Amino acid sequence: MEDPSLWLHVCISAVLVLLCGAFSGLTIALMTQDDIYLRVIELSAEPADQHNAKKVIALLKRGKHWILVALLLGNAITSEALPVVLDQFLDGGLAVLASTALVVIFSDVIPQSVCARHSLTVGAYMVPYVSIFMNMLAPIAWPIAKLLDALVGDHDPTGFTRPGLKALFSLHTVLGKPEDRLNSDEVKIIHGALGIIDKSATRIMTPIEDVYSLSADTVLDEYTIDRIRIQGYSRILVHAPNNRLDILGVFVTRKLVRYNPKLCKRVCDFDWSPIPTIHSRTNCLNVLKIFQEGTYHMVLVSQKERNLVLGIITREDILEELIGEDILDEFDCMHDRATLLARQLNPLPTPPTPTEKIIEKPSIIAISAPESEVINAWVRETSFSQQYGSVDYFNSAAQWKYIQNYLAQTRKRQQSENAGRRTYGTLS
């Protein structure tokens, strides 16, 4: 006659195997969850996954070490009790072998493989039971968890560095479903946006030697208008006579739409737009913020120590840096191909222009926000330095009217002197 306690021991052994598997699988399901990944799932996944992520995040906030200690204690208790129960109806050696086989197959291999594949779903489903078990073992597990927090530290969310994010998005061109993958253009844009803060203004500027500009006393005759039309720029820098590096402002070429070249006006007879000047160490992100205000289309790059203009940056330069590719228009194609070659082989002759000295600019003191250095500028502007920090000074052409007056007075004086010479020559 069979012993009635045999089936009781068999049922207890089965329960212990299941419990051991549950503790082993939950250790994998909960301890391998990444905080950043869970937050991403909580904000962007399907509603069911968002609900599961919220439940797991709430449990993990109670303390990962507390959960770990509770699950390991439960696994140790059940795995150690299993051979004792099996020994009631099996011989000692056979009980150890059977216990080892059951634990390895049904408590480690199968549960861990399943929980590793469906960790979020399994972990969220078992959250209430894990919470109850944690409270049951709190007198033992909680002090041990606090000791671990003090020794090895708490589990803080670990983010990605910019190079790590670039590598992560590059991998998404081949990972996942085809419809969810990123294409190469998207990755270029992401890489450009992530790297823009690490690049200084000098990395993307156009050197001032390669910039087409006009002198303030340039006569806008037919020859000059043709040169401006060939260049194809919507805005042209205006520099002081005899000093190409002394940039005064920006001339908008659309003002010449109804202009008659026979009038032979000078550049200084038109209104200009101011242009901000930034330090060469200013990063491209701050330059982008300047352009986002919508007031300026280009900025000057200079070295504050020598007050030397190095080059310019336009909105197109920033946009090209963001998308990681060059933006070509019809004028770029013209410059890059036959027209540029023709200009190099047969440069346009420079017409003779009167050389007139420009009055010295008044020195107005401005303070550089990041380094508190005193520099010379035309106009004191604090809004840029307060908002962007690395912008050192603001060079405005708002005060250029005195240039016009000076040139006009100089021309009148020269005409008077010439008239006096002719009169004196006639009398003699």
Side-chain angles (χ1 to χ4, degrees), residues 323-384:
I323 67 175
E325 294 181 353
D326 292 335
I327 301 176
L328 298 179
D329 54 22
E330 62 274 17
F331 294 106
D332 290 328
C333 297
M334 176 186 67
H335 290 313
D336 292 341
R337 297 188 181 97
T339 305
L340 181 59
L341 180 60
R343 283 188 197 168
Q344 293 175 349
L345 297 177
N346 301 304
L348 294 173
T350 303
T353 57
T355 58
E356 300 174 344
K357 292 185 178 181
I358 188 170
I359 189 171
E360 185 179 357
K361 296 181 296 185
S363 178
I364 301 178
I365 302 302
I367 301 298
S368 174
E371 299 171 351
S372 299
E373 297 179 4
V374 179
I375 57 176
N376 291 329
W378 282 35
V379 178
R380 182 169 181 174
E381 281 283 344
T382 58
S383 60
F384 276 89

Side-chain angles (χ1 to χ4, degrees), residues 62-270:
R62 299 184 62 182
K64 276 193 171 183
H65 283 150
W66 189 2
I67 300 172
L68 177 63
V69 173
L71 293 177
L72 292 180
L73 285 176
N75 190 14
I77 292 172
T78 53
S79 61
E80 292 297 331
L82 181 61
V84 176
V85 176
L86 291 177
D87 190 58
Q88 299 299 319
F89 59 92
L90 295 176
D91 294 335
L94 188 59
V96 174
L97 293 176
S99 174
T100 303
L102 291 173
V103 169
V104 170
I105 297 174
F106 298 101
S107 298
D108 288 337
V109 176
I110 296 178
Q112 290 186 11
S113 61
V114 173
C115 291
R117 181 67 178 84
H118 306 282
S119 59
L120 182 60
T121 304
V122 174
Y125 181 79
M126 297 297 293
V127 162
Y129 306 102
V130 175
S131 298
I132 294 173
F133 191 73
M134 289 170 59
N135 294 329
M136 291 173 57
L137 296 182
I140 301 176
W142 187 82
I144 298 176
K146 290 302 178 181
L147 179 61
L148 290 175
D149 290 341
L151 294 177
V152 301
D154 199 2
H155 293 268
D156 295 326
T158 303
F160 290 92
T161 61
R162 286 189 178 87
L165 285 174
K166 290 181 181 180
L168 178 64
F169 285 111
S170 298
L171 291 175
H172 276 73
T173 58
V174 295
L175 296 179
K177 299 179 181 178
E179 60 271 15
D180 296 332
R181 295 175 182 173
L182 300 176
N183 58 49
S184 59
D185 292 332
E186 291 174 323
V187 173
K188 286 182 180 179
I189 294 174
I190 294 172
H191 283 190
L194 291 175
I196 192 171
I197 195 173
D198 298 325
K199 296 181 180 179
S200 62
T202 54
R203 292 278 299 274
I204 66 170
M205 73 176 185
T206 301
I208 195 63
E209 296 81 9
D210 300 333
V211 178
Y212 179 75
S213 61
L214 295 174
S215 175
D217 61 352
T218 300
V219 178
L220 295 175
D221 53 10
E222 293 184 0
Y223 178 84
T224 305
I225 296 299
D226 289 338
R227 287 175 62 91
I228 294 175
R229 186 182 298 111
I230 291 174
Q231 293 294 328
Y233 298 120
S234 61
R235 289 168 175 80
I236 299 176
L237 295 181
V238 179
H239 61 82
N242 302 327
N243 189 357
R244 196 167 181 270
L245 298 182
D246 189 0
I247 305 300
L248 305 176
V250 179
F251 178 73
V252 181
T253 57
R254 68 169 178 266
K255 296 180 180 179
L256 300 176
V257 173
R258 298 183 179 181
Y259 170 70
N260 185 1
K262 294 181 179 180
L263 298 177
C264 292
K265 291 185 177 181
R266 299 175 183 271
V267 176
C268 58
D269 295 329
F270 292 81

